[in-house]
Amino acid sequence: MEALALERKEEQKRELKERIAQLKKERNAIILAHYYQRDEIQEIADFRGDSFLLAQKAATTDAEVIVFCGVHFMGESAKILAPNKTVLIPDERAGCPMADMVNVDGLRALKKQHPNAKVVAYINTSADVKSETDICCTSANAIKVINSVDSDEIIWVPDKNLGDYVSKFTDKKVIIWEGYCNTHDMLTVKDVEEMRALHPNAQFVVHPECRPEVVKLGDFVGSTTAIIKYCKESDCQEFIVGTEDGTGYQLRLDSPNKQFHFATKYLVCPNMKVNNLKKVARCLETMQPQIYVPPHIAEQAKASLERMLQVK
C-alpha cells in the first residue's frame, strides 16, 4: 500500500510539473525561486538564487509574468523593478517576520533623531520601508553598499545580527534597528558545539543573520550564495551549515560527493515553505494572487533598489 501511495504521489508531481511547464509557455512566464524554497519548487525554477540575484533577474527578464517563489517582500521588489510585468506569488501568506519588525513610523522617528544619517535597508523590508530608504542591500553586498554611502552615519534596518556583522567592516557609525530573522536567530553556540563534536572534520559555514556569538565560530561567514560557492570550491569534504535548510538542494546539486549537516533541525523558515507545486500551478491558472505596490511607494522604493543594483 505504501509503495502504491508513493507511486501515486510521484505521478501527481509529474503531472503538476507538466501542467506548470505548459502554463509557463501560455503565459510567457518565468519562475524565480529563493534558495530556501522546497526542493520541488527549486527543481522547476528557471532561476534559483538569493534575494540579490532574483532582484536582478526580475529587473532584466523578457517574460511577461514572474512567478516569485519566496516571501512577500521579494515579490514586491520584483514588481517595483519590473512594474510592467505581472508578478504572482503562489501563497500571499508567505510573509517575513523580520520585515514586519520595522515600520515607516518608527523609521521616520529614528531619521529625525539622526538627521545626518543615511538609511541602508536590508532587502528584507516592505515596499513602504524601502520608500523611506536611501539604498537597499542584501547579505551578499551589504558591506559594499554601506561603504558606498556618502555619509559617516548609517541607520541600518532591520536585522541587528547582520547589522552587527557589517559594522565590523566599516569606519562609519552604524545605528542598528532591533529586528532579527526568527530562523537564523534560533541557532546557538551550544548547537554548533554539539555538531562539531559529532563531526570533528567538518567546517562550519554560517550566515551573518545568525547571532554574533555564533557567527564568531564560523570557518566561513557569508550570504547564502557565498556559502554555496565556498562549499563547492573548498577542498573540505564535510560541512556544518548555519543557514536555512532549503540551501541543501543547491549544495547537494553542486557537490554530490560532499557531506552537509545542518547545524540544527530548526533551521527551517515556515514562511518560505508554504509554497508548493499545486500553488504554483494554481497561480498560473488563475493569475492570482498578484503583487501590487502603490505607484507613489513604488517610485520611491525603486530608487533605493536601483542604487543597490549599481553598487559594484
Side-chain angles (χ1 to χ4, degrees):
M1 288 294 289
E2 283 184 19
L4 281 172
L6 186 61
E7 189 179 329
R8 178 59 188 148
K9 191 175 179 181
E10 289 302 312
E11 186 182 339
Q12 288 173 337
K13 267 191 179 182
R14 283 193 298 271
E15 289 170 356
L16 278 168
K17 287 178 182 178
E18 287 170 7
R19 179 65 179 143
I20 290 166
Q22 178 189 345
L23 286 163
K24 274 174 53 185
K25 283 184 182 178
E26 292 173 6
R27 306 293 196 195
N28 186 18
I30 62 165
I31 296 173
L32 305 181
H34 194 274
Y35 284 132
Y36 298 169
Q37 292 289 292
R38 296 170 184 262
D39 288 5
E40 66 183 34
I41 297 288
Q42 296 194 55
E43 284 170 7
I44 61 163
D46 296 285
F47 298 101
R48 294 183 297 275
D50 61 10
S51 301
F52 182 57
L53 174 68
L54 297 180
Q56 287 178 309
K57 292 298 180 187
T60 57
T61 181
D62 292 328
E64 294 173 29
V65 176
I66 299 169
V67 179
F68 211 117
C69 297
V71 291
H72 200 269
F73 76 80
M74 296 179 183
E76 283 187 335
S77 296
K79 184 64 178 176
I80 290 163
L81 290 169
N84 298 323
K85 312 287 186 188
T86 299
V87 179
L88 306 173
I89 185 167
D91 191 326
E92 59 190 347
R93 296 173 302 163
C96 173
M98 176 165 62
D100 294 338
M101 290 179 191
V102 57
N103 56 64
V104 168
D105 290 343
L107 180 53
R108 284 176 178 166
L110 192 59
K111 286 166 74 172
K112 281 185 180 178
Q113 292 172 33
H114 303 276
N116 298 319
K118 293 288 180 71
V119 181
V120 177
Y122 196 19
I123 200 167
N124 299 42
T125 46
S126 68
D128 287 355
V129 168
K130 287 182 177 73
S131 72
E132 293 286 330
T133 295
D134 293 290
I135 189 168
C136 288
C137 74
T138 69
S139 54
N141 66 3
I143 294 167
K144 284 183 179 179
V145 165
I146 276 196
N147 287 315
S148 77
V149 174
D150 185 21
S151 174
D152 293 328
E153 197 173 10
I154 302 291
I155 292 171
W156 168 274
V157 296
D159 183 4
K160 64 180 180 181
N161 292 335
L162 182 57
D164 176 83
Y165 179 72
V166 299
S167 69
K168 293 175 170 59
F169 295 88
T170 185
D171 294 328
K172 300 175 191 291
K173 179 184 177 183
V174 185
I175 300 139
I176 299 173
W177 192 271
E178 283 291 310
Y180 58 91
C181 168
N182 297 51
T183 301
H184 284 102
D185 198 64
M186 284 184 184
L187 186 58
T188 66
V189 168
K190 184 183 176 188
D191 292 327
V192 178
E193 288 174 345
E194 287 176 354
M195 287 300 287
R196 276 185 158 159
L198 290 171
H199 307 285
N201 297 319
Q203 288 191 346
F204 176 47
V205 292
V206 61
H207 196 289
E209 283 182 24
C210 292
R211 300 177 187 186
E213 63 270 26
V214 172
V215 171
K216 280 181 185 176
L217 301 176
D219 296 294
F220 177 82
V221 182
S223 68
T224 307
T225 297
I227 286 172
I228 291 166
K229 184 175 186 287
Y230 177 81
C231 292
K232 182 179 179 180
E233 296 175 356
S234 173
D235 292 333
C236 186
Q237 298 299 302
E238 192 175 9
F239 300 90
I240 297 164
V241 183
T243 190
E244 210 274 350
D245 84 333
T247 311
Y249 177 82
Q250 191 69 46
L251 288 169
R252 292 185 294 269
L253 198 65
D254 287 349
S255 307
N257 298 319
K258 294 182 180 181
Q259 288 184 289
F260 299 99
H261 317 284
F262 281 83
T264 169
K265 65 180 180 180
Y266 301 111
L267 281 168
V268 180
C269 174
N271 296 281
M272 283 285 190
K273 296 299 194 274
V274 300
N275 296 322
N276 58 37
L277 292 177
K278 284 183 180 178
K279 291 174 184 176
V280 173
R282 189 186 308 130
C283 80
L284 279 166
E285 285 169 349
T286 63
M287 296 296 284
Q288 294 292 335
Q290 291 189 24
I291 295 289
Y292 172 75
V293 182
H296 67 288
I297 296 291
E299 185 179 350
Q300 292 171 278
K302 187 176 184 181
S304 65
L305 282 166
E306 286 184 334
R307 289 187 198 111
M308 173 189 77
L309 294 174
Q310 288 163 10
V311 174
K312 302 299 181 187

